[in-house]
């Protein structure tokens, strides 16, 4: 802390000693929070969770319980609130308790968590209670004060996203039997079964990093109904308590969670079928793991075979971020040998990427420990909010006693803050750029993914209107445009021109889906300003849009080359052509010319029946 702030804090602490105590506790809480993982942005899921039946009064009692199938020594119980979209926790009760028992009627039970004394504000963070030394078969969650149903009067509910019970490092509640005397089942959103299906809005337990590794990717197919497989050989037969598939979510597809996850597939161990959904579609899991309990299984090989691939952009693929197999809480698949029917290999996709302990966005963490840390974050955040309120009151009392001196200190602090702000402005602008990129990825990308998922579900359910199909198409185009924007925001002041070519290649893949196109460019490390990249990229996208809308072309060739700070871009198609002297304002050529003018370059457009050529020349620095 700066000397001026120390002096002010000491003086106010002398006026009100409670301030020093609160400041010390606030520092302790902030330090503890800095060491805990951040609460992920909640993601929309097709399976939202459990929904109780309606009640006429808030103080009505509703409960749901699970049967683990056998008595287990419990390590922890975790409750995760339900989410709809990306709003706050939906329907989480204001008061509740958690009990355990070996009697399904709970004639004898032990209370593990009692939150029936006071109301609390809803949060998307989990509730975790340690249960070391407890053995039980049945877990009951009882809501004693319900939440009002949104947009309704005199109707009260409680909802849960997921209930997990950890024993020996494994979630033994996965796919357990659920008993709820009063509940709502409105598929695919609400069902008692969704309380223990392993899918919840917090996504994957990961520690984010910047390592460029997405996982494993199959060969690309032109049809969805294609059989592909990937197999992990554990080298020797092992006990396997659970098999888990981690969906991929590449950084360059921020709106496409569950990238490449198969629509129809089966899981086998040494040829024995563990799970089979080859006759019906499997809901895309987004950023949640797909787990299969396998108690008593002893096997050497695990094979995942898909019979219906995932649609990418006019083609079909199969991809996974990670394949895991657990024994006593340890992932024993890390040292396995991976084989597959075919692969797409690159710097970010590989067979080794399927067992490297990472998702597409970071290092995979132990789920139980991660949820415990998030629960701890919620507790500390609530305490910090209470400390801040008490500190505000104590500070107001101290400032009242010495208003004149406090005002003088505020003037000094304001001057110091302004001086520091000027010195750090450049750093703040850089941080803002990265924050905008992250917000576009997490927030808008999530919304676009929701729109795309909902329109896809509607189109799958039966005949759809032209408007719905247009929504589905525009959501895809908007997502593609956003990728270009994220690229521009993420790049530094002088990115390499190879990054520009790669951005054009990704954009061409989305805009020229039905056209045979190719990009030819050198592999040179020369750099240009971010503004030059932006203008050339937007010019290229405008030209690609024009070809798609007007040219009726079947082939497009794009050539880019540069030397001695001089850049050439040539875009040729074999379309119907047009009269350059008779163009109108609606064909986008004015935009092309505007981009060339901003670049201080020259643009030549020649066209005749059988093709059009756009040639840009510009200098860069």
């Amino acid at each position: 802390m700066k000397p001026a702030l120390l002096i002010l804090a000491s003086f106010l602490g002398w006026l009100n000693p409670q301030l020093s105590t609160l400041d010390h506790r606030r520092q302790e809480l902030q330090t503890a929070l800095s060491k805990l993982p951040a609460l992920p942005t909640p993601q929309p899921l097709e399976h939202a969770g459990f929904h109780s039946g309606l009640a006429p009064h808030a103080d009505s009692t509703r409960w749901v319980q699970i049967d683990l199938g056998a008595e287990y020594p419990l390590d922890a119980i975790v409750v995760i609130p339900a989410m709809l979209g990306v709003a706050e926790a939906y329907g989480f009760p204001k008061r509740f308790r958690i009990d355990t028992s070996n009697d399904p009627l709970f004639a004898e039970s032990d209370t593990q968590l009692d939150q029936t004394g006071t109301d609390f504000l809803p949060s998307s963070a989990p509730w975790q209670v340690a249960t070391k030394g407890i053995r039980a078969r049945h877990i009951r969650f009882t809501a004693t004060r319900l939440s009002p149903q949104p947009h309704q009067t005199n109707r009260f509910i409680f909802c849960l996203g997921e209930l997990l019970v950890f024993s020996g490092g494994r979630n033994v509640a996965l796919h357990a039997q659920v008993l709820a005397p009063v509940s709502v089942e409105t598929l695919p959103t609400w069902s008692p079964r969704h309380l223990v299906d392993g899918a919840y809005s917090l996504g994957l337990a990961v520690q984010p990093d910047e390592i460029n590794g997405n996982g494993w990717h199959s060969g690309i197919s032109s049809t969805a109904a294609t059989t592909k497989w990937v197999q992990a050989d554990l080298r020797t037969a092992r006990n396997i308590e659970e098999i888990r598939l981690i969906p991929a979510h590449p950084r360059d597809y921020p709106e496409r969670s569950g990238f490449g996850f198969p629509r129809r597939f089966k899981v086998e161990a040494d040829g024995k079928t563990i799970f089979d959904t080859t006759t019906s579609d499997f809901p895309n899991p987004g950023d949640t793991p797909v787990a299969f309990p396998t108690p008593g299984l002893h096997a050497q090989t695990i094979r995942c075979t898909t019979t219906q691939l995932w649609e990418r952009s006019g083609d079909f693929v199969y991809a996974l971020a990670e394949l895991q197999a657990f024994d006593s809480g340890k992932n024993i698949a890390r040292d396995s040998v991976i084989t597959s029917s075919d692969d797409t290999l690159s710097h970010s996709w590989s067979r080794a990427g399927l067992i490297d302990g990472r998702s597409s966005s970071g290092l995979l963490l132990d789920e139980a420990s991660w949820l415990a840390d998030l629960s701890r974050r919620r507790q500390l955040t609530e305490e910090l909010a209470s400390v801040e309120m008490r500190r505000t009151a104590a500070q107001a009392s101290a400032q009242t006693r010495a208003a004149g001196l406090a005002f003088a200190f505020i003037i000094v602090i304001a001057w110091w803050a302004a001086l520091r702000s000027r010195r750090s402005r450049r750093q703040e602008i850089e941080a803002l750029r990265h924050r905008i990129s992250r917000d576009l990825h997490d927030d808008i990308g999530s919304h676009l993914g929701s729109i795309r998922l909902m329109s896809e579900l509607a189109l799958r359910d039966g005949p759809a209107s032209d408007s719905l199909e247009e929504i589905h198409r525009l959501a895809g185009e908007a997502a593609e445009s956003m990728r270009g924007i994220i690229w521009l925001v993420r790049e530094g002041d002088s990115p390499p021109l190879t990054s520009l070519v790669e951005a054009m290649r990704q954009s061409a893949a989305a805009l020229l889906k039905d056209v045979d196109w190719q990009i030819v460019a050198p592999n040179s490390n020369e750099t240009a300003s971010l503004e030059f990249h932006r203008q050339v990229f937007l010019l290229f996208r405008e030209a690609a849009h024009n070809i798609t809308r007007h040219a009726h072309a079947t082939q497009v060739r794009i050539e880019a080359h540069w030397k001695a700070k001089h850049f050439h871009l040539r875009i040729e198609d074999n379309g119907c052509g047009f009269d350059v002297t008779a163009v109108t304002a609606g064909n986008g050529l004015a935009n092309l010319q505007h981009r060339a003018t901003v670049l201080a370059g020259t643009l030549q457009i020649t066209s005749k029946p059988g093709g059009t050529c756009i040639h840009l020349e510009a200098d860069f620095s």
Side-chain angles (χ1 to χ4, degrees):
M1 186 181 290
K2 296 293 185 178
L5 292 179
L6 284 172
I7 293 172
L8 178 58
S10 299
F11 180 69
L12 292 178
W14 174 74
L15 292 175
N16 189 340
Q18 186 185 18
L19 263 179
S20 297
T21 301
L22 292 173
D23 281 340
H24 178 70
R25 182 54 182 160
R26 182 176 69 164
Q27 183 62 42
E28 288 180 337
L29 292 171
Q30 290 173 338
T31 300
L33 284 169
S34 69
K35 299 176 181 179
L36 294 174
L39 183 66
T41 301
Q43 59 175 302
L45 292 177
E46 186 175 353
H47 293 176
F50 167 82
H51 192 305
S52 76
L54 302 177
H57 306 290
D59 290 333
S60 302
T61 298
R62 293 286 187 271
W63 57 266
V64 62
Q65 72 182 51
I66 62 172
D67 181 355
L68 302 178
E71 180 182 318
Y72 285 93
L74 307 184
D75 299 328
I77 300 172
V78 181
V79 176
I80 299 177
M83 304 294 296
L84 285 180
V86 290
E88 64 181 20
Y90 183 89
F92 198 79
K94 297 181 180 296
R95 302 187 185 190
F96 67 92
R97 71 173 185 270
I98 299 175
D99 301 296
T100 59
S101 178
N102 284 309
D103 176 12
L105 299 179
F106 279 73
E108 294 184 0
S109 63
D110 296 307
T111 297
Q112 305 301 326
L113 179 65
D114 191 336
Q115 294 289 330
T116 60
T118 58
D119 291 356
F120 53 86
L121 295 175
S123 166
S124 61
W127 288 76
Q128 187 260 14
V129 54
T131 52
K132 289 286 187 181
I134 300 296
R135 297 182 63 90
R137 171 173 175 168
H138 302 276
I139 316 296
R140 178 178 288 187
F141 183 100
T142 303
T144 59
R145 178 162 293 175
L146 309 182
S147 292
Q149 187 178 26
H151 314 300
Q152 300 291 335
T153 57
N154 300 323
R155 297 174 69 175
F156 299 88
I157 60 172
F158 91 87
C159 300
L160 301 177
E162 189 79 4
L163 196 155
L164 303 93
V165 181
F166 290 97
S167 175
R170 183 168 68 93
N171 175 22
V172 294
L174 188 64
H175 303 311
Q177 182 179 354
V178 179
L179 174 64
V182 184
S183 64
V184 170
E185 181 151 357
T186 54
L187 296 174
T189 307
W190 302 110
S191 172
R193 299 189 303 274
H194 297 345
L195 183 63
V196 291
D197 63 357
Y200 49 84
S201 61
L202 297 180
L204 295 172
V206 298
Q207 178 180 315
D209 59 32
E210 297 301 322
I211 296 175
N212 188 13
N214 294 326
W216 172 82
H217 192 304
S218 75
I220 300 170
S221 177
S222 60
T223 59
T226 303
T227 298
K228 294 181 182 293
W229 57 266
V230 63
Q231 175 174 293
D233 185 337
L234 304 179
R235 302 175 186 266
T236 184
R238 304 286 296 274
N239 292 325
I240 303 174
E241 297 176 340
E242 181 179 300
I243 297 171
R244 188 176 299 182
L245 306 180
I246 306 299
H249 192 168
R251 301 173 194 269
D252 53 344
Y253 282 86
E255 81 290 354
R256 304 295 292 275
S257 58
F259 179 94
F261 200 87
R263 297 285 296 277
R264 299 187 180 188
F265 66 98
K266 64 179 177 180
V267 179
E268 300 170 292
D270 284 353
K272 176 184 177 182
T273 299
I274 304 299
F275 178 80
D276 191 338
T277 181
T278 55
T279 58
S280 60
D281 286 353
F282 188 85
N284 189 281
D287 284 332
T288 59
V290 178
F292 309 101
T294 56
L297 177 64
H298 191 73
Q300 178 173 334
T301 62
I302 301 170
R303 176 175 289 202
C304 300
T305 304
T306 176
T307 58
Q308 191 80 13
L309 303 179
W310 179 84
E311 183 177 0
R312 187 176 61 170
S313 297
D315 51 24
F316 302 89
V317 299
Y318 173 22
L320 293 173
E322 191 80 359
L323 189 154
Q324 300 176 314
F326 290 93
D327 178 24
S328 301
K330 180 181 178 182
N331 177 19
I332 59 176
R334 290 293 302 273
D335 298 324
S336 59
V337 177
I338 301 299
T339 55
S340 61
S341 55
D342 56 16
D343 309 279
T344 294
L345 303 178
S346 69
H347 61 286
S348 56
W349 297 103
S350 65
R351 290 183 178 181
L354 190 63
I355 52 171
D356 61 357
R358 299 184 66 263
S359 71
S360 300
S361 58
L363 181 68
L364 288 164
L365 304 175
D366 175 71
E367 184 180 29
S369 300
W370 181 68
L371 290 172
D373 285 345
L374 294 182
S375 179
R376 179 62 175 162
R377 169 173 283 279
R378 176 190 51 75
Q379 293 174 316
L380 296 182
T381 300
E382 291 173 355
E383 184 182 350
L384 181 60
S386 174
V387 168
E388 291 288 5
M389 290 180 61
R390 290 156 55 200
R391 183 181 180 281
T392 298
Q395 191 173 38
S397 174
Q399 289 173 340
T400 300
R401 298 172 189 175
L405 290 177
F407 178 77
F409 276 115
I410 290 172
I411 295 298
V412 172
I413 293 171
W415 171 83
W416 171 81
L419 180 62
R420 182 183 180 187
S421 176
R422 286 194 297 271
R423 292 175 178 174
S424 62
R425 185 171 182 274
R426 182 175 179 83
Q427 296 176 351
E428 292 173 355
I429 291 174
E430 185 71 13
L432 176 62
R433 188 175 69 195
H434 287 287
R435 188 161 64 251
I436 291 172
S437 172
R438 185 171 60 252
D439 290 344
L440 283 171
H441 178 289
D442 293 343
D443 192 6
I444 300 176
S446 177
H447 283 300
L448 287 174
S450 300
I451 294 171
R452 191 173 178 87
L453 172 60
M454 290 186 288
S455 62
E456 181 178 345
L457 290 173
L459 288 168
R460 190 192 313 161
D461 289 340
S465 67
D466 292 342
S467 297
L468 183 56
E469 292 179 347
E470 182 68 2
I471 289 172
H472 188 67
R473 183 185 67 80
L474 290 176
E477 290 189 3
E480 170 57 26
S481 296
M482 190 183 71
R483 278 199 297 275
I485 294 172
I486 290 176
W487 169 74
L488 288 171
V489 173
R490 280 180 175 171
E491 292 297 327
D493 291 334
S494 297
L497 288 170
T498 51
S499 293
L500 173 60
V501 173
E502 181 60 25
M504 291 192 298
R505 181 174 285 111
Q506 293 181 13
S507 185
L511 295 175
L512 303 174
K513 292 180 181 178
D514 301 323
V515 179
D516 180 13
W517 60 271
Q518 62 174 322
I519 292 181
V520 178
N523 187 16
S524 168
N525 291 328
E526 285 199 64
T527 63
S529 68
L530 183 59
E531 178 62 16
F532 180 89
H533 280 67
R534 174 175 175 271
Q535 294 298 338
V536 173
F537 178 71
L538 293 177
L539 183 147
F540 170 80
R541 283 185 55 86
E542 183 70 37
H545 272 294
N546 286 348
I547 292 172
T548 301
R549 295 170 182 168
H550 306 296
H552 306 294
T554 60
Q555 292 183 332
V556 175
R557 178 179 175 85
I558 302 133
E559 294 182 4
H561 59 92
W562 51 87
K563 185 177 182 181
K565 301 299 182 180
H566 193 67
F567 181 85
H568 293 262
L569 175 64
R570 182 184 295 271
I571 305 170
E572 296 180 276
D573 66 68
N574 67 344
C576 61
F578 61 93
D579 185 354
V580 177
T581 63
V583 295
T584 62
N587 59 15
L589 298 186
N591 287 339
L592 298 179
Q593 189 60 56
H594 171 71
R595 302 294 177 194
T597 301
V598 172
L599 291 167
T602 59
L603 182 72
Q604 294 181 349
I605 302 176
T606 58
S607 182
K608 62 182 179 179
T612 298
C613 175
I614 299 174
H615 183 202
L616 169 70
E617 291 187 58
D619 293 329
F620 62 91
S621 59

